[in-house]
Amino acid sequence: MPETVIHHGNELKAAELSFDDFKKIVINDYRVGYESRQASILGRREVLTGKAKFGIFGDGKEVAQLAMAKVFRNGDWRAGYYRDQTFMFATGMSNLKEFFAQLYAHPDIEKDPASAGRQMNCHYATRYVDKDGNWVNQAETKNTASDLSTTGGHMPRLLGLAYASKLYRQNKELEYLKQFSVNGNEVAFGTIGNGSTSEGLFFEAFNAAGVLQVPMAISIWDDAYAISVPAKLQTTKEDISEVLKGFQRDSKGAGYEIFKVKGWDYVALCETYERAIKICREEHVPVMIHVIEMTQPQGHSTSGSHERYKSKARLGWEDEHDCLVQMRKWMIESAIITTEDIDELEVTAKKHVRECQKEAWADLEGEIKTEMDEAVELIENIAEYSPKHNELHALTHELQSCVDPGRRDTIAAVRKALRITLGENSHERKVLADYLKDEFVKNKERFNSKLFTDTPHSPLLVPVVKAEYTEDARLLDGREVLNACFDANFERDKSIVAFGEDVGAIGDVNQGFAGLQAKYGDLRITDTGIREATIIGQGLGLAMRGLRPIAEIQYLDYLLYALTVLSDDVASLSYRTRGGQKAPLIVRSRGHRLEGIWHSGSPLGTILNSMRGMHICVPRDMTQAAGMYNTLLRGDEPALVIECLNGYRLKEKLPTNVGEFTVPLGKAEILREGNDITVVTYGSTLRIVMEAAVELEKMGINIEVVDPQTLYPFDTENVCANSLRKTNKLLVVDEDIPGGGSAYILQKVIEKQKGYYSLDAQPKTLCGAEHRPPYGSDGDYFSKPSLDDIIEAVYSVMNEASPGKYPAIY
Ligand SMILES: Cc1ncc(C[n+]2csc(CCOP(=O)(O)OP(=O)(O)O)c2C)c(N)n1
Ligand SMILES: [Mg+2]
């Protein structure tokens, strides 16, 4: 079987090679490209005949990727998109069988290591976390960060992957992290389609890499279209490298080295990549390679045909400039290969691809068939004794007649058999029910597992260490407690870095990092531009490469600018690779009430609904926040910590173990005991609820106050529902809009914790208004839950339960 991988060392340095060696390399390249093309053609056919659901392929983009693969070394990273199969094959990061396994959605990491059947085809990833959650040695492997379907969505992460090389090269204290870097020599390769350069994320990442001067090599695969929309409607001057010329480094300052090359010119491509990556790797200068005149022989994807929107002339031009056609022509003209030999190579390559496809299909089909046979037998066993035997026979017959069946067909038939035989009591029926339960467990693992890493390194397993205080513990501003916590952690762990807007020189707008840049240097506590999406991407890339970033979003309201990266990339990373990749990124922000439409946000509903896969921490004060950072910095899962914007100057006691004590995630705390009603709240409203408690006590009402502390995970020990057993009444106080964070809390307490068993009165929520709060204290009073609102909300629940004892106030 031919060897697909181009090993490092196959660079085309013509002067140093004999003509025979040179020929061998070129012919091998062509074979890889040709096999890749056959995979595209066959892949499309598999979709059109119904074996796979959707197909998007890298045809027309092969030759540039062969050239790029030559300069991709161990330790390097790729963050790319769905056209990159040739590059993945050429570097050995994927292969033909895995390509087809993913196309068929094989839910097995052995068959589809990139996503275990979870991602659409041509969405790549290498597994850098082993089954116990340990990092593999990334410096010795070629690495691909898991792809997204959202075009341009990977650009922020690309920045972070490149930035890690800068830190590894410039911060000598990181030399001990040998499994991640060799002196920061690693290049982060990005690929993006011409159309997707219209995305804001592209421009944001592009500018940031120019500012940071990181070894980032962006290749733009330019086929002049984005589905049906031509370059004229996408890009100023229809030419992205023309537009970006101002980024070219020159006597005025550092910037990019920009290259432009034709996608069908093998020799020029090899030379260009050689030059570009040398600059990028050695000088740590970002480079852009604009690869023009690419084609798309089969159109955009299996969803449509490009004949609908490309002119005959364009289609003719594409046929002629097909990169493999051109490469073949050049090889024959240059006496690298004869027509007969290349014809033979193509026949062999085609056969090989077909074999790989068949094997991949047989692997999945075999598993499904075995399971189906087992289920059919179990159903037929019931039929032997069941009065419904005709219906059951029909069911198994129908199941066995399925064309290209899936696991869903078998499981649906089993469930239907159990419905048909409802009320029957045979042993055989019980066996089938047990079989179904076992299959649910297996399918949960296949399709629903690994939202979090769930390994021994999980922050949920970090030992609880209580905060300790001396008798004369100092009372400090909250921000100083945080500052001491960060200081201790920066001292303890050299891989921790923090960055964001105003985080460096002034130590963040609330001074949590004050003085730390002076102490630990600007590579560890760093100012960034105003670019929330790429601040998160920067953190994500660093976290993937073994560093411990704290990425700061200055105010919670600005989190929306980074939401795509958080939701699409950070939060889904573990899930979409089925635990093959992780990124222990800590996002630090501050929110809840302060003032104005963009500085009082508490969009917890938005956050909870879009960021499953991240822990959501809502500490009530800075000491609790510090304990959460201490926990998270010792675990390996991503999290968002929302500090109370109005709490930095409130006095708190400084624990003696401020850098060590931990606040466990998912552990709710009862802050005040009471018998009459349970009030669940968190963050900034907590203090107001505690004030209300004092007033309410004067009115003869004793409230129990529960702080869940983290919204995800939420109160894993059912503290809320247990409290309801005593009080039988529930009020949730939340600053988000009605139906936002409070609806989430209600679902957890009432449904998940079964709190409804204990309720004597309607559970209530007290929330912010549906609009954002106006600027000014009056605006705050009339838009966010106030002391009076809370007192009256509690009272109204009491009034409903005992109107005689608690008559309406007004
Ligand atoms: C954020 C986002 N917007 C829209 C899409 C739908 N979409 C998928 S591919 C595509 C065209 C991309 O064109 P281009 O970047 O030129 O890459 P090409 O497919 O031509 O290689 C579009 C619009 C998407 N996947 N993600
Ligand atoms: Mg395009």
Side-chain angles (χ1 to χ4, degrees):
M1 193 165 289
E3 167 68 10
T4 307
V5 180
I6 300 176
H7 291 292
H8 170 55
N10 262 354
E11 287 164 39
L12 268 189
K13 290 184 180 146
E16 296 163 23
L17 289 171
S18 71
F19 188 55
D20 269 357
D21 288 340
F22 173 76
K23 281 201 303 195
K24 266 191 210 144
I25 292 173
V26 177
I27 292 169
N28 192 52
D29 274 359
Y30 181 77
R31 187 183 48 71
V32 175
Y34 191 82
E35 283 178 358
S36 172
R37 175 66 61 88
Q38 292 308 307
S40 300
I41 293 168
L42 196 50
R44 182 176 172 87
R45 205 178 305 153
E46 290 300 276
V47 175
L48 299 184
T49 56
K51 282 213 183 83
K53 249 191 150 168
F54 172 77
I56 192 155
F57 304 102
D59 46 311
K61 317 280 190 295
E62 292 91 345
V63 174
Q65 294 180 29
L66 295 169
M68 187 164 93
K70 286 179 188 303
V71 290
F72 191 80
R73 304 223 171 129
N74 284 349
D76 284 349
W77 283 82
R78 166 189 168 277
Y81 80 120
Y82 50 76
R83 299 287 182 213
D84 291 349
Q85 72 205 44
T86 312
F87 178 74
M88 294 302 292
F89 299 155
T91 53
M93 289 190 288
S94 183
N95 60 44
L96 288 160
K97 258 189 87 172
E98 291 171 5
F99 169 94
F100 284 107
Q102 190 181 44
L103 184 71
Y104 299 134
H106 200 142
D108 181 341
I109 54 172
E110 302 297 327
K111 306 294 179 195
D112 169 22
S115 71
R118 291 178 180 188
Q119 289 232 60
M120 281 177 164
N121 78 308
C122 286
H123 286 53
Y124 298 103
T126 47
R127 304 186 77 75
Y128 62 71
V129 180
D130 70 17
K131 65 176 184 0
D132 302 318
N134 300 313
W135 300 98
V136 304
N137 187 325
Q138 301 174 352
E140 290 175 354
T141 55
K142 296 189 167 71
N143 308 290
T144 274
S146 167
D147 292 0
L148 306 176
S149 296
T150 43
T151 64
H154 56 299
M155 284 291 116
R157 179 211 318 141
L158 174 65
L159 176 76
L161 293 169
Y163 185 62
S165 288
K166 176 171 170 163
L167 293 186
Y168 281 120
R169 181 170 288 182
Q170 296 192 4
N171 183 356
K172 297 298 168 208
E173 284 186 335
L174 295 176
E175 269 171 13
Y176 72 100
L177 291 169
K178 295 202 184 317
Q179 71 272 41
F180 296 103
S181 176
V182 179
N183 191 34
N185 290 340
E186 304 78 21
V187 171
F189 287 73
T191 65
I192 186 167
N194 57 296
S196 304
T197 64
S198 306
E199 292 279 8
L201 293 183
F202 170 80
F203 283 96
E204 189 178 313
F206 200 84
N207 176 56
V211 170
L212 292 171
Q213 288 294 290
V214 289
M216 175 169 115
I218 297 190
S219 293
I220 295 166
W221 303 150
D222 191 344
D223 56 14
Y225 281 85
I227 311 186
S228 66
V229 181
K232 196 164 91 157
L233 302 177
Q234 289 281 359
T235 309
T236 308
K237 301 182 182 181
E238 300 183 41
D239 186 334
I240 190 69
S241 54
E242 186 66 24
V243 174
L244 295 177
K245 263 187 176 161
F247 284 87
Q248 173 66 45
R249 64 176 174 165
D250 56 22
S251 57
K252 290 194 211 113
Y256 274 75
E257 203 57 54
I258 296 179
F259 300 84
K260 190 178 210 166
V261 57
K262 293 188 170 78
W264 47 266
D265 188 341
Y266 174 75
V267 175
L269 282 161
C270 290
E271 283 170 2
T272 303
Y273 272 97
E274 180 89 35
R275 272 175 53 213
I277 302 307
K278 188 171 166 31
I279 293 169
C280 187
R281 194 184 302 281
E282 290 175 7
E283 299 177 43
H284 271 201
V285 166
V287 298
M288 181 184 105
I289 302 114
H290 183 195
V291 184
I292 57 169
E293 299 194 9
M294 286 183 140
T295 67
Q296 217 172 67
Q298 300 193 107
H300 175 76
S301 71
T302 51
S303 300
S305 104
H306 58 159
E307 283 81 7
R308 280 183 302 158
Y309 49 82
K310 284 181 188 163
S311 68
K312 277 216 166 64
R314 169 77 197 182
L315 289 167
W317 179 90
E318 288 202 15
D319 283 346
E320 193 188 335
H321 290 84
D322 183 311
C323 58
L324 288 177
V325 169
Q326 289 290 332
M327 184 172 173
R328 181 189 154 109
K329 198 166 130 217
W330 167 78
M331 285 166 72
I332 295 169
E333 281 169 7
S334 316
I336 290 169
I337 196 166
T338 62
T339 309
E340 294 73 40
D341 285 350
I342 204 165
D343 283 348
E344 195 187 318
L345 178 154
E346 290 177 355
V347 171
T348 312
K350 215 176 201 162
K351 255 176 68 188
H352 174 55
V353 173
R354 182 88 186 138
E355 278 162 20
C356 292
Q357 174 262 316
K358 278 192 179 147
E359 283 173 28
W361 175 251
D363 284 347
L364 180 59
E365 198 187 28
E367 286 177 22
I368 289 171
K369 180 86 177 44
T370 308
E371 288 167 25
M372 182 192 281
D373 290 347
E374 196 181 350
V376 165
E377 196 183 324
L378 295 177
I379 296 171
E380 287 296 335
N381 288 349
I382 305 179
E384 257 187 63
Y385 306 99
S386 169
K388 303 279 181 59
H389 52 88
N390 282 342
E391 268 182 78
L392 293 171
H393 289 320
L395 184 64
T396 54
H397 180 71
E398 193 187 333
L399 176 60
Q400 287 172 308
S401 326
C402 265
V403 180
D404 298 332
R407 289 192 157 93
R408 67 195 176 285
D409 297 300
T410 297
I411 297 299
V414 170
R415 295 167 91 172
K416 190 162 179 188
L418 291 170
R419 292 199 297 272
I420 290 171
T421 55
L422 192 63
E424 293 181 24
N425 248 334
S426 66
H427 166 73
E428 286 71 15
R429 188 176 184 280
K430 174 150 188 344
V431 171
L432 188 68
D434 287 345
Y435 169 83
L436 179 63
K437 283 178 204 155
D438 283 352
E439 287 301 306
F440 274 137
V441 172
K442 289 185 203 156
N443 283 315
K444 198 166 180 208
E445 183 59 31
R446 285 187 189 111
F447 300 109
N448 311 112
S449 59
K450 292 284 183 187
L451 180 58
F452 288 87
T453 62
D454 298 331
T455 72
H457 306 291
S458 162
L460 302 180
L461 302 177
V462 169
V464 180
V465 177
K466 291 222 169 331
E468 288 165 9
Y469 297 92
T470 52
E471 267 180 27
D472 56 347
R474 282 197 297 155
L475 270 181
L476 301 178
D477 282 354
R479 65 157 189 98
E480 293 174 294
V481 174
L482 266 184
N483 188 262
C485 161
F486 289 138
D487 192 359
N489 279 292
F490 272 86
E491 187 71 49
R492 175 183 65 83
D493 184 345
K494 306 291 175 218
S495 68
I496 299 175
V497 290
F499 48 85
E501 297 153 19
D502 303 292
V503 163
I506 65 166
D508 90 50
V509 287
N510 295 93
Q511 293 184 291
F513 289 112
L516 299 187
Q517 187 183 65
K519 188 164 176 189
Y520 297 103
D522 61 2
L523 288 172
R524 295 193 64 194
I525 293 103
T526 313
D527 282 317
T528 68
I530 305 173
R531 47 177 182 80
E532 288 75 15
T534 51
I535 288 173
I536 298 304
Q538 195 169 328
L540 173 56
L542 294 185
M544 290 175 131
R545 292 191 61 190
L547 295 166
R548 297 302 318 235
I550 301 173
E552 177 165 318
I553 298 296
Q554 197 162 76
Y555 293 109
L556 190 61
D557 307 70
Y558 314 151
L559 194 80
L560 299 192
Y561 272 57
L563 200 61
T564 46
V565 191
L566 288 163
S567 180
D568 287 344
D569 210 349
V570 180
S572 78
L573 182 70
S574 176
Y575 176 78
R576 74 183 195 266
T577 57
R578 196 161 152 192
Q581 300 198 347
K582 64 177 176 180
L585 164 68
I586 298 176
V587 180
R588 176 186 187 217
S589 192
R590 46 190 74 85
H592 316 310
R593 60 187 58 214
L594 192 71
E595 59 211 19
I597 290 177
W598 280 279
H599 299 82
S600 314
S602 205
L604 265 301
T606 303
I607 289 167
L608 288 161
N609 290 338
S610 60
M611 287 163 56
R612 297 296 162 94
M614 291 182 71
H615 298 293
I616 309 297
C617 305
V618 283
R620 61 181 175 268
D621 59 28
M622 301 309 155
T623 307
Q624 293 308 99
M628 290 176 195
Y629 287 120
N630 289 336
T631 302
L632 294 167
L633 285 167
R634 288 163 175 81
D636 72 349
E637 292 175 349
L640 167 66
V641 181
I642 303 168
E643 295 162 15
C644 296
L645 193 40
N646 60 4
Y648 292 106
R649 301 212 173 263
L650 300 176
K651 298 292 180 202
E652 297 182 28
K653 276 197 297 180
L654 180 71
T656 50
N657 55 350
V658 68
E660 271 86 43
F661 82 98
T662 56
V663 169
L665 309 183
K667 299 285 176 277
E669 232 183 283
I670 297 177
L671 290 188
R672 182 186 195 280
E673 294 196 6
N675 294 316
D676 293 325
I677 178 170
T678 301
V679 180
V680 179
T681 193
Y682 59 89
S684 293
T685 41
L686 210 108
R687 220 174 312 114
I688 313 174
V689 167
M690 294 301 276
E691 283 170 34
V694 177
E695 293 290 310
L696 283 159
E697 193 161 359
K698 293 180 200 156
M699 299 167 83
I701 299 168
N702 229 323
I703 70 173
E704 178 140 309
V705 180
V706 183
D707 177 7
Q709 303 211 77
T710 60
L711 293 179
Y712 199 100
F714 183 87
D715 182 14
T716 52
E717 289 170 350
N718 294 358
V719 171
C720 293
N722 289 341
S723 168
L724 286 186
R725 287 209 198 119
K726 181 169 59 169
T727 65
N728 311 115
K729 296 174 213 70
L730 173 66
L731 174 71
V732 175
V733 181
D734 179 46
E735 289 193 30
D736 196 4
I737 55 165
S742 59
Y744 168 87
I745 294 174
L746 274 188
Q747 187 265 334
K748 291 287 183 201
V749 179
I750 301 299
E751 187 185 36
K752 184 123 191 298
Q753 301 186 351
K754 297 189 169 38
Y756 72 96
Y757 275 128
S758 314
L759 287 177
D760 280 350
Q762 184 199 338
K764 285 208 169 146
T765 61
L766 174 64
C767 308
E770 288 202 309
H771 53 76
R772 299 177 185 212
Y775 161 72
S777 300
D778 287 347
D780 177 78
Y781 181 85
F782 288 105
S783 307
K784 291 262 187 181
S786 67
L787 178 70
D788 298 322
D789 294 334
I790 294 167
I791 293 169
E792 289 177 12
V794 167
Y795 192 89
S796 76
V797 180
M798 301 305 292
N799 164 262
E800 187 201 323
S802 319
K805 193 165 171 199
Y806 302 104
I809 302 176
Y810 56 87

